[in-house]
Amino acid sequence: MTRPAEPAGHEVPAMRPAEPVAWPHGKSAAASFTFDVDAESAVLFGNPAAAASRLSVMSHQAYGPLTGLPRLLRILAEHRVRATFFVPGYTAHRHPGAVRAIADGGHEIAHHGYLHESLAEVDEAAEAEILDRGLAALAEVAGVRPVGYRAPMWELTYDSPRLLAERGFLYDSSLMDADVPYELDAGGATSIVEIPVHWGLDDWEQYCYLPDISGSGLIEDPAKAVSMWRGEFEALRREGGCFVLTNHPFLSGRPARAAALEGLIEHVAGCTDVWLAPLGDIARHVRGLALKPRAIPKPELRGSPP
Amino acid sequence: MTRPAEPAGHEVPAMRPAEPVAWPHGKSAAASFTFDVDAESAVLFGNPAAAASRLSVMSHQAYGPLTGLPRLLRILAEHRVRATFFVPGYTAHRHPGAVRAIADGGHEIAHHGYLHESLAEVDEAAEAEILDRGLAALAEVAGVRPVGYRAPMWELTYDSPRLLAERGFLYDSSLMDADVPYELDAGGATSIVEIPVHWGLDDWEQYCYLPDISGSGLIEDPAKAVSMWRGEFEALRREGGCFVLTNHPFLSGRPARAAALEGLIEHVAGCTDVWLAPLGDIARHVRGLALKPRAIPKPELRGSPP
Amino acid sequence: MTRPAEPAGHEVPAMRPAEPVAWPHGKSAAASFTFDVDAESAVLFGNPAAAASRLSVMSHQAYGPLTGLPRLLRILAEHRVRATFFVPGYTAHRHPGAVRAIADGGHEIAHHGYLHESLAEVDEAAEAEILDRGLAALAEVAGVRPVGYRAPMWELTYDSPRLLAERGFLYDSSLMDADVPYELDAGGATSIVEIPVHWGLDDWEQYCYLPDISGSGLIEDPAKAVSMWRGEFEALRREGGCFVLTNHPFLSGRPARAAALEGLIEHVAGCTDVWLAPLGDIARHVRGLALKPRAIPKPELRGSPP
Amino acid sequence: MTRPAEPAGHEVPAMRPAEPVAWPHGKSAAASFTFDVDAESAVLFGNPAAAASRLSVMSHQAYGPLTGLPRLLRILAEHRVRATFFVPGYTAHRHPGAVRAIADGGHEIAHHGYLHESLAEVDEAAEAEILDRGLAALAEVAGVRPVGYRAPMWELTYDSPRLLAERGFLYDSSLMDADVPYELDAGGATSIVEIPVHWGLDDWEQYCYLPDISGSGLIEDPAKAVSMWRGEFEALRREGGCFVLTNHPFLSGRPARAAALEGLIEHVAGCTDVWLAPLGDIARHVRGLALKPRAIPKPELRGSPP
């Protein structure tokens, strides 16, 4: 195959892969356990009518802060693992004791919207207002000014990086294009650290079932889910990546799921070659590396499709 | 992290976790096998046209009382296990012999609506009428005044606890926010015992497939379903919880599924540290503990979402 | 629990379980491998536009008669197993050589509609016309007058039994309320033999995926599907039941699926306590038992739901 | 069963099975690893709004060329396996470096539409224009004139074979009616080589999840997916077939999935009885066999369904 000269104007220069990341303390990879404390908010935003009539659905979500969260906090404490908890503002208002228990456990509390709003459907002003309401709720209830953010439904918008940078956030954890953190261009001369996630490292697809609201309709065995996550941990570990697992207390706080997750936590915590830390610590480390920011340009089609 | 003084007015006082439950006879955990005898009703409510033309669908549902139920009753008898059967009034009218066979086996018969009506879509007066029709059907066919209730589709409404208390019900088994039973505030000075359930301890998500009516489209191996349920039993057992499994005779009455379930029944019945009883017995025990009732307040959003 | 006198008028007398069936030759159970040769018809009826533009979809369906069927016929011949093939009239017209190869293999050819029409949506006159078109096609192409029928999509209507009896059919295989065959009341003094099936003994839910047309979106490993079917075979075998497996050449004719199915065929054929026969043979045996016909009355609701 | 004389006029002569294929170098079967480098295009065609607001979705797709592809190229290089990469024109324009890296690795680059357009919805003129835009993009970016084509979504139309033949394509790889390649009638006296694929040999059904865009909602363990694919490889190997696996870098480029796929690649590459080659090499071999072209006639219904 012959190849012509580089065609001018077609290269998208910033769309380059993330660089490998050097981990601290001589570690060869990083890992973080993260929990999205959605509780009622994950249902209320998309299904407000459920609040008025579906008591069972509300109780299903309340399991998270009431029953699942204490169990998970106990497990983390036993294995001396600090984690990151993404807390919607509404959860803080409805379950303030639960949120304070997270802080009391020495864990990081981060921002996860106010009512778990899917940002794919809101404009920039509304997104800004949601960010500010979430900040206010976390400050009011837990006295926390979070440095980290995760978009509800992992729906970061093209406005989000700038809005986050303007509010002093250090990092986001909602994108999926790399196995390691990087500096994400946030417009102007600013950037935020991005710590990528993935649907395959999330408990929602494995466990969530709420009729007419969410889920494939199937519910998986924790043995399958945790085996799959462990496989991804081992593969990322071999390659110097950053393993970020996302669990929801209303899902993974159930007894057998928590027990299976505990097995994984224990394993990861025992890997001396892996730096296990809250996302905030990871973000601070990455910020210290002064990486060149990457941009993910909005797709522009060259000519319209037929 | 510093924390401000407790913000006034934000605490939702009744939204506290269920208390641990002390089990009788020195047992450390409880378990109950429950069966929802939906038969045709589960299809007829949402798909009335199916009754007029879809004979195969009706035969699929009739398998429950005709073929699955006798097999399950035989298994329970062999292992001397008493279970709780939730029977819609319509099932009692269409399959009276089946319902009387349940009673003859020494099992508990409880209320499960009249036509398996999803209460998320009905108002309070209609819910009351359904409750009364179901009571009338069970009295007429089986001479039973049930003390227990389970909402069809596990769709308890905010009206349900009061309506149940007014009718003298001792317990409900439709909510999902705890691993143990508790007293559920039913308004006024009344309460009912709540014995929680969960979608992960239900055979519907594993086995049910009715084209255009229900199911993910996939059908799971009984080996997978029962292994998952057993894992949850063991985890609840270790933590002093109350294992409540829900099976449907039209699903789990099939030969290999019943055989796999029998393995679990035999295992649970053989665990001398676990109190295996019908839900009515469990509810009476819990009532005797005089627990302070919990409320699940209807979510109120502080300010409207943008 | 006390029980009142039998309430008059509520018993549905004909809705009794199927009786156990005595199998011939001292066998304790029966089994039959059946194949629905849907090919293009299963797609064309519900998605006629696919015929005009979706060549890949049509090729996916054509795999059945072109590639899957010869493989399956070879496997059946190697294990000297005679099976029943349900052939839509359209398949006979489009793939006459395939249909004749089935007959040449000594297998039973039975009726499966003309264009795999879902009868839930047609009236009695249309259903009669479809039956007659299917009969004409099988007579024309393969010289066969089938004694057996299976409703496409297993959607038997309340008219079907009478229409089948009027046309001299001996049996149907589309209902799901029993583990053994029985005589199904067909109106007047007539009846047909019913040989029940089940979604759990069907390859569609395990393997079928056609975007926008059918399938859950997941595709299962043959190891899982066949293990589940084998479990059901063993359970039915222990209980004297009749194992009827349904496979589609366009699905189970694929190499690894056919190989896994072959393992099951070999196993069943080697069970000397099981009578392995085409459905027609089983129906003739059951007819000879002169069982009392059962009816499945159309559900009538006592009073309308609120 | 008696059989009448062959009915005149009903035979569809060209609808005959593909012939067995003799493989070169004394090999008894063939295999090819293929990768569809969809990246953003697979989402943009059907969900153009996602480009404007859903940054996370775009990052999920960008993972393919940025992170997954380099990993897969490294694996292929380590095992000295040449593969075929189907590259939409839009991917070439947005990720030119990635496309050139494929060519630099000695792999085949083939055509996969411009914006991954589902051809089931476009007319012949539009399909022709898409083909030409895709050709222009691959020429411009990578200097490649591809000999192979795969329809996006595997949606070949009845026009496609002729349009491909007119543009000098040697082969297509989008149909599903055989286990071996064949000559596909392209109208007039022309034909193209068809190298069949199947949904069961695709990673999309096992791994893909994009809310509101694609996927069953479940995500499978790579252990399950690769075990199933290996089973199909072994079955095709035994029967002299052609194993064509389809992976997407944005899905199978994730660490544990790539590791599992590497195990399969290593296994296949080590089977000395199997000819492992890019599809282009396989097509050239098949063309040399001068097979008689097969047609897949558009279904014509004899009389309209009732």
Side-chain angles (χ1 to χ4, degrees):
Chain A
M1 275 179 273
T2 62
R3 192 204 301 164
E6 214 79 315
H10 293 307
E11 194 77 38
V12 184
M15 205 61 186
R16 53 182 173 75
E19 308 166 44
V21 166
W23 301 111
H25 320 307
K27 305 288 186 180
S28 58
S32 192
F33 290 96
T34 73
F35 298 88
D36 293 0
V37 195
D38 296 348
E40 292 87 352
S41 67
V43 166
L44 291 174
F45 177 68
N47 307 272
S53 63
R54 299 180 71 178
L55 176 55
S56 295
V57 169
M58 288 301 107
S59 75
H60 181 266
Q61 299 306 111
Y63 186 92
L66 292 176
T67 307
L69 181 68
R71 176 174 290 127
L72 294 167
L73 290 174
R74 204 163 53 237
I75 289 171
L76 292 167
E78 276 172 29
H79 298 279
R80 299 170 190 265
V81 169
R82 283 187 307 131
T84 298
F85 289 78
F86 291 94
V87 181
Y90 185 79
T91 294
H93 278 145
R94 189 164 166 95
H95 303 282
V99 177
R100 286 192 288 265
I102 295 168
D104 287 346
H107 303 287
E108 178 187 10
I109 290 178
H111 195 297
H112 198 43
Y114 183 78
L115 196 64
H116 203 264
E117 298 88 354
S118 175
L119 300 178
E121 297 154 29
V122 305
D123 64 16
E124 183 185 344
E127 183 174 345
E129 186 184 333
I130 290 167
L131 282 173
D132 292 334
R133 291 185 77 197
L135 285 172
L138 295 181
E140 180 188 3
V141 173
V144 168
R145 174 75 191 194
V147 301
Y149 176 74
R150 173 171 287 168
M153 303 295 296
W154 287 338
E155 286 287 2
L156 212 68
T157 74
Y158 290 94
D159 297 320
S160 307
R162 185 170 41 73
L163 293 173
L164 292 170
E166 288 171 359
R167 279 158 186 76
F169 280 91
L170 171 63
Y171 77 92
D172 168 72
S173 181
S174 318
L175 298 183
M176 313 195 187
D177 60 341
D179 297 328
V180 288
Y182 55 87
E183 287 284 347
L184 174 67
D185 189 333
T190 66
S191 67
I192 55 174
V193 173
E194 173 62 36
I195 309 179
V197 291
H198 187 237
W199 298 111
L201 290 174
D202 178 25
D203 60 358
W204 198 289
E205 294 67 34
Q206 306 301 320
Y207 299 146
C208 190
Y209 175 61
L210 274 175
D212 309 324
I213 292 177
S214 188
S216 70
L218 263 186
I219 296 177
E220 291 288 46
D221 191 335
K224 178 254 185 173
V226 173
S227 170
M228 181 170 74
W229 299 335
R230 183 164 170 159
E232 189 74 353
F233 166 73
E234 294 298 347
L236 281 162
R237 181 186 176 194
R238 283 193 299 271
E239 306 206 20
C242 181
F243 172 80
V244 179
L245 188 66
T246 298
N247 290 277
H248 297 76
F250 80 91
L251 295 170
S252 286
R254 298 255 162 208
R257 296 170 183 170
L261 179 61
E262 181 174 9
L264 179 60
I265 289 172
E266 186 172 15
H267 172 69
V268 171
C271 292
T272 54
D273 56 324
V274 176
W275 181 42
L276 177 55
L279 292 185
D281 291 12
I282 292 175
R284 275 181 287 270
H285 168 73
V286 171
R287 174 56 49 94
L289 299 174
L291 302 172
K292 181 179 165 199
R294 299 172 61 225
I296 304 181
K298 193 180 294 197
E300 308 269 356
L301 303 183
R302 302 200 336 161
S304 56
Chain B
M1 276 180 272
T2 63
R3 190 203 302 162
E6 213 78 316
H10 294 306
E11 194 75 39
V12 184
M15 206 61 184
R16 53 185 172 76
E19 307 166 43
V21 166
W23 301 110
H25 321 308
K27 305 288 186 180
S28 58
S32 191
F33 290 96
T34 72
F35 298 88
D36 293 0
V37 194
D38 296 348
E40 293 87 352
S41 67
V43 166
L44 291 174
F45 178 69
N47 306 272
S53 62
R54 300 181 69 178
L55 177 55
S56 294
V57 168
M58 289 300 108
S59 75
H60 181 266
Q61 299 305 111
Y63 185 92
L66 293 176
T67 307
L69 182 67
R71 178 174 288 126
L72 294 166
L73 289 174
R74 205 162 53 236
I75 289 171
L76 291 167
E78 276 172 29
H79 299 279
R80 300 170 190 263
V81 169
R82 284 188 306 131
T84 298
F85 289 78
F86 291 93
V87 181
Y90 185 79
T91 295
H93 279 145
R94 190 165 166 95
H95 302 283
V99 176
R100 286 193 288 267
I102 295 169
D104 287 346
H107 302 289
E108 178 188 9
I109 290 177
H111 195 298
H112 199 42
Y114 184 78
L115 196 65
H116 204 264
E117 297 88 352
S118 175
L119 300 178
E121 297 153 31
V122 305
D123 65 15
E124 184 185 345
E127 182 174 346
E129 187 184 332
I130 290 167
L131 282 174
D132 292 334
R133 292 185 78 197
L135 285 172
L138 294 182
E140 181 187 3
V141 172
V144 167
R145 173 75 192 194
V147 301
Y149 175 75
R150 173 171 286 167
M153 304 293 297
W154 288 338
E155 285 288 3
L156 213 67
T157 73
Y158 290 94
D159 297 319
S160 306
R162 186 170 41 75
L163 293 173
L164 292 171
E166 287 171 0
R167 280 157 185 77
F169 280 90
L170 171 62
Y171 77 92
D172 168 72
S173 181
S174 318
L175 297 183
M176 312 195 187
D177 60 340
D179 297 328
V180 287
Y182 54 87
E183 287 284 347
L184 175 67
D185 189 333
T190 66
S191 66
I192 55 173
V193 173
E194 174 61 36
I195 310 180
V197 293
H198 186 237
W199 298 111
L201 291 174
D202 179 26
D203 60 358
W204 198 290
E205 294 68 35
Q206 306 301 321
Y207 299 146
C208 190
Y209 175 61
L210 274 174
D212 309 324
I213 293 178
S214 188
S216 69
L218 263 184
I219 296 177
E220 290 289 47
D221 192 334
K224 178 254 184 172
V226 173
S227 170
M228 182 170 73
W229 299 334
R230 184 166 170 159
E232 189 74 353
F233 166 73
E234 295 297 349
L236 281 163
R237 181 185 177 193
R238 283 192 299 271
E239 306 206 19
C242 182
F243 173 80
V244 179
L245 188 66
T246 298
N247 291 277
H248 298 76
F250 80 93
L251 295 170
S252 286
R254 297 255 162 209
R257 296 171 185 170
L261 179 61
E262 182 174 8
L264 179 60
I265 289 172
E266 186 172 14
H267 171 69
V268 171
C271 293
T272 55
D273 55 323
V274 176
W275 182 40
L276 177 54
L279 293 184
D281 291 11
I282 292 175
R284 274 181 288 271
H285 168 73
V286 171
R287 173 56 49 94
L289 298 175
L291 302 172
K292 182 180 167 199
R294 300 172 61 225
I296 303 180
K298 192 179 294 195
E300 308 268 358
L301 305 182
R302 302 200 335 160
S304 56
Chain C
M1 276 180 271
T2 63
R3 192 204 300 163
E6 214 79 315
H10 293 306
E11 193 76 38
V12 184
M15 206 60 185
R16 54 186 172 74
E19 307 165 45
V21 166
W23 301 110
H25 321 306
K27 305 287 187 181
S28 58
S32 193
F33 290 97
T34 73
F35 298 89
D36 294 359
V37 194
D38 296 347
E40 292 87 350
S41 67
V43 166
L44 291 175
F45 177 69
N47 306 273
S53 62
R54 299 180 70 177
L55 176 56
S56 295
V57 169
M58 289 300 108
S59 75
H60 181 265
Q61 299 305 112
Y63 185 93
L66 293 175
T67 307
L69 182 68
R71 177 173 289 128
L72 294 167
L73 290 174
R74 203 161 57 234
I75 289 171
L76 292 168
E78 276 172 27
H79 299 279
R80 300 169 190 264
V81 170
R82 284 188 305 132
T84 298
F85 289 78
F86 292 94
V87 181
Y90 185 79
T91 295
H93 279 145
R94 190 165 167 96
H95 302 284
V99 177
R100 286 193 288 267
I102 295 168
D104 288 346
H107 303 288
E108 178 187 9
I109 290 178
H111 194 298
H112 199 42
Y114 183 78
L115 195 65
H116 204 265
E117 299 89 353
S118 174
L119 300 178
E121 296 154 30
V122 305
D123 64 16
E124 184 186 345
E127 182 173 346
E129 187 184 333
I130 291 167
L131 282 174
D132 292 334
R133 293 185 77 196
L135 285 172
L138 295 182
E140 181 188 3
V141 172
V144 168
R145 173 77 191 193
V147 301
Y149 175 75
R150 174 171 285 167
M153 303 294 296
W154 287 338
E155 285 287 2
L156 212 67
T157 73
Y158 290 94
D159 297 319
S160 307
R162 186 169 42 73
L163 293 172
L164 293 170
E166 286 172 1
R167 279 156 185 78
F169 279 91
L170 171 62
Y171 77 91
D172 168 71
S173 182
S174 318
L175 298 184
M176 314 196 187
D177 59 340
D179 297 327
V180 287
Y182 55 86
E183 286 284 348
L184 175 67
D185 189 336
T190 65
S191 67
I192 55 173
V193 173
E194 172 62 35
I195 309 179
V197 292
H198 187 236
W199 298 111
L201 291 174
D202 179 26
D203 60 357
W204 197 290
E205 294 69 33
Q206 307 301 320
Y207 300 145
C208 190
Y209 176 61
L210 275 174
D212 308 324
I213 292 179
S214 188
S216 69
L218 264 185
I219 295 177
E220 290 288 46
D221 191 334
K224 179 255 183 171
V226 173
S227 170
M228 182 170 72
W229 299 335
R230 184 166 170 158
E232 189 73 352
F233 166 72
E234 294 298 350
L236 281 162
R237 181 185 177 195
R238 284 192 298 271
E239 306 206 19
C242 183
F243 173 80
V244 179
L245 188 66
T246 298
N247 291 277
H248 298 75
F250 81 91
L251 296 170
S252 286
R254 298 255 160 208
R257 296 172 185 170
L261 179 60
E262 181 174 9
L264 180 59
I265 289 172
E266 185 172 16
H267 172 69
V268 171
C271 293
T272 54
D273 55 324
V274 175
W275 182 40
L276 177 54
L279 292 185
D281 290 11
I282 291 175
R284 275 181 288 271
H285 168 73
V286 170
R287 174 56 50 91
L289 298 174
L291 303 172
K292 182 180 165 199
R294 299 173 61 226
I296 303 181
K298 193 181 292 194
E300 308 267 358
L301 304 183
R302 303 199 335 160
S304 54
Chain D
M1 274 180 273
T2 63
R3 191 204 299 161
E6 214 79 314
H10 293 308
E11 194 76 39
V12 183
M15 205 61 186
R16 53 183 173 75
E19 307 166 45
V21 166
W23 301 110
H25 320 308
K27 304 287 186 181
S28 59
S32 191
F33 291 96
T34 73
F35 298 88
D36 293 359
V37 194
D38 296 347
E40 293 87 350
S41 67
V43 165
L44 291 175
F45 178 68
N47 306 273
S53 62
R54 299 180 70 178
L55 176 57
S56 295
V57 169
M58 288 300 107
S59 75
H60 181 266
Q61 299 305 110
Y63 185 92
L66 293 175
T67 307
L69 181 68
R71 177 175 288 128
L72 294 166
L73 289 174
R74 201 160 59 234
I75 289 171
L76 291 167
E78 277 173 27
H79 298 279
R80 299 169 190 266
V81 170
R82 283 188 307 132
T84 299
F85 289 78
F86 292 94
V87 181
Y90 184 80
T91 295
H93 279 145
R94 189 164 167 96
H95 302 283
V99 177
R100 287 192 288 266
I102 295 168
D104 288 346
H107 302 287
E108 177 186 11
I109 290 178
H111 194 298
H112 198 42
Y114 183 78
L115 195 65
H116 203 264
E117 298 88 353
S118 175
L119 300 179
E121 296 154 29
V122 304
D123 65 15
E124 185 185 344
E127 183 174 345
E129 186 184 334
I130 291 168
L131 282 174
D132 292 334
R133 294 185 77 197
L135 285 172
L138 295 182
E140 179 188 5
V141 173
V144 168
R145 174 75 190 194
V147 301
Y149 176 74
R150 174 170 286 167
M153 302 295 296
W154 287 339
E155 287 286 3
L156 212 67
T157 73
Y158 290 94
D159 297 320
S160 307
R162 185 170 41 75
L163 293 172
L164 292 170
E166 287 171 1
R167 279 158 186 78
F169 280 90
L170 170 63
Y171 77 91
D172 168 73
S173 182
S174 317
L175 298 183
M176 313 196 187
D177 60 340
D179 297 327
V180 287
Y182 54 88
E183 287 283 349
L184 175 68
D185 188 333
T190 65
S191 67
I192 55 174
V193 173
E194 173 61 37
I195 309 180
V197 293
H198 187 237
W199 298 112
L201 291 174
D202 179 26
D203 60 357
W204 198 290
E205 293 69 33
Q206 307 302 320
Y207 299 146
C208 190
Y209 176 61
L210 274 175
D212 309 324
I213 292 178
S214 189
S216 69
L218 265 184
I219 296 176
E220 291 289 47
D221 191 335
K224 178 253 183 173
V226 173
S227 171
M228 183 170 73
W229 299 335
R230 184 166 170 158
E232 190 74 353
F233 166 72
E234 294 298 347
L236 281 162
R237 181 185 177 195
R238 283 192 300 270
E239 306 205 20
C242 182
F243 173 80
V244 179
L245 188 66
T246 298
N247 291 277
H248 298 76
F250 80 92
L251 295 171
S252 286
R254 298 256 161 207
R257 296 171 184 171
L261 179 61
E262 181 173 10
L264 179 60
I265 290 171
E266 185 171 16
H267 172 68
V268 171
C271 293
T272 54
D273 56 324
V274 175
W275 182 39
L276 177 54
L279 293 185
D281 291 12
I282 292 175
R284 276 181 286 271
H285 168 72
V286 171
R287 173 56 49 91
L289 298 175
L291 303 173
K292 182 179 165 200
R294 299 172 63 224
I296 302 181
K298 192 181 292 195
E300 308 269 356
L301 303 184
R302 301 199 337 158
S304 56

